[in-house]
Amino acid sequence: MSEREIYEATPRSTVNRLKQRAVYDHETVHAIIDSAPVLHVSFNPTWYDDDPFPTILPMLGCTGSYTPADASETSPPAVYLHGHSASRLMKLPSNPLDDSLPGVPVCVAATHIDGLVLALTPFNHSCNYRSAIVHGWAVPVTDYDEKMYALTLITDSMVPSRWSHTRIPPTEVEMKSTGVIRVNIVSASAKIRAHTAGDDAKDLADTEMRRRVWAGVVPMNVVYGEPVPTAGNLVEEVPRYIEEWRERENDGNVKYSREVASRNAPKK
């Protein structure tokens, strides 16, 4: 897969409002999903029961491309999600109401807030953000090797190398109680705002008002705090791979949120 492979802008995925903020390349979309602390997954529960309301669940997951050893071509990227095997979403793809479809239709959303944008007028207030939306078909992962691949990937997306620094391999009970879903991506897009306040020319010309009203950006970013050991922990010091990851993430998050806060706003 090339670095700049693009998701097709379909009527479903095309960004209509503020189109200049739209991004469709794989690298950007996947990076937003993989770095989001939480993914929100929505689906229609009428596929499972008679509840007329849509459902949205906060979940952990990430993108990945699992290719079996005997495959001749690389598998396309997908979103992997995990949860308890008895949960409604995990059971849903195994009991579809329409067998003619390639899975259960779901939507996966990821969002980062990078700053509060405080303009001269409330109507120009905004946020710096990165968001990604994926639509796709959810199918259960039943192959053992792919399931292990997905669980390792999701674990390491939280803290790199965490899987190999835990008690592994998982037990048979753990594997049975944990379900994995692969969302085969049909369409995807991202939307990003990354600059300072964009004020109207007439407001910028009002010097008296500008002396009274503060305008700017309050950066926001995820900060990982000092690790707190459990009561049963016997390791005296926090492992270096955790500390290095925490420092790297905190530095990067702060740097990005402050950098975009000072970028010039695009001309309207």
Side-chain angles (χ1 to χ4, degrees):
M1 182 181 70
S2 64
E3 291 184 359
R4 294 293 299 175
E5 191 164 357
I6 305 297
Y7 284 111
E8 180 183 359
T10 67
R12 182 192 309 107
S13 65
T14 298
V15 174
N16 294 312
R17 172 69 178 149
L18 299 173
K19 292 185 177 182
Q20 69 274 20
R21 298 181 184 176
V23 185
Y24 299 96
D25 69 271
H26 285 204
E27 184 178 6
T28 301
V29 171
H30 297 175
I32 292 173
I33 292 173
D34 294 342
S35 58
V38 177
L39 301 179
H40 286 91
V41 183
S42 60
F43 58 98
N44 188 342
T46 57
W47 281 66
Y48 187 78
D49 54 33
D50 295 326
D51 187 345
F53 294 99
T55 296
I56 185 166
L57 299 175
M59 301 186 71
L60 299 179
C62 61
T63 62
S65 298
Y66 174 74
T67 302
D70 57 353
S72 58
E73 297 182 359
T74 302
S75 299
V79 177
Y80 285 96
L81 306 166
H82 88 299
H84 196 281
S85 58
S87 66
R88 176 165 57 171
L89 180 58
M90 289 296 143
K91 293 193 298 183
L92 199 57
S94 300
N95 301 282
L97 297 183
D98 189 343
D99 292 330
S100 66
L101 296 178
V104 173
V106 300
C107 179
V108 181
T111 306
H112 298 265
I113 297 295
D114 300 308
L116 300 179
V117 180
L118 310 180
L120 294 171
T121 169
F123 296 95
N124 280 336
H125 278 48
S126 185
C127 289
N128 281 337
Y129 62 84
R130 290 162 289 153
S131 62
I133 300 291
V134 165
H135 290 88
W137 300 106
V139 297
V141 174
T142 56
D143 177 78
Y144 181 84
D145 290 339
E146 183 178 7
K147 189 173 182 179
M148 285 289 289
Y149 163 82
L151 292 174
T152 304
L153 196 69
I154 294 171
T155 302
D156 287 347
S157 72
M158 297 177 64
V159 178
S161 302
R162 181 58 184 171
W163 181 270
S164 62
H165 287 87
T166 61
R167 189 267 295 153
I168 50 176
T171 66
E172 182 178 351
V173 172
E174 288 172 334
M175 290 294 285
K176 286 184 177 180
S177 64
T178 303
V180 173
I181 283 178
R182 183 182 68 249
V183 179
N184 296 320
I185 300 173
V186 175
S187 62
S189 61
K191 193 174 182 182
I192 299 172
R193 187 194 192 279
H195 53 80
T196 190
D199 287 302
D200 297 333
K202 63 179 180 179
D203 287 327
L204 292 173
D206 189 339
T207 304
E208 181 180 350
M209 182 268 291
R210 287 169 56 201
R211 289 195 177 103
R212 178 176 56 86
V213 179
W214 188 92
V217 177
V218 181
M220 292 178 60
N221 47 264
V222 173
V223 175
Y224 295 94
E226 191 73 25
V228 179
T230 66
N233 175 70
L234 297 179
V235 180
E236 294 184 2
E237 296 183 356
V238 177
R240 192 61 204 159
Y241 78 93
I242 295 178
E243 282 293 85
E244 290 178 348
W245 161 80
R246 187 172 70 91
E247 293 169 2
R248 183 173 63 252
E249 287 296 302
N250 286 345
D251 289 346
N253 292 343
V254 170
K255 180 179 179 180
Y256 176 83
S257 65
R258 294 191 65 83
E259 176 189 329
V260 300
S262 60
R263 290 180 183 172
N264 292 331
K267 295 181 179 180
K268 295 183 178 180

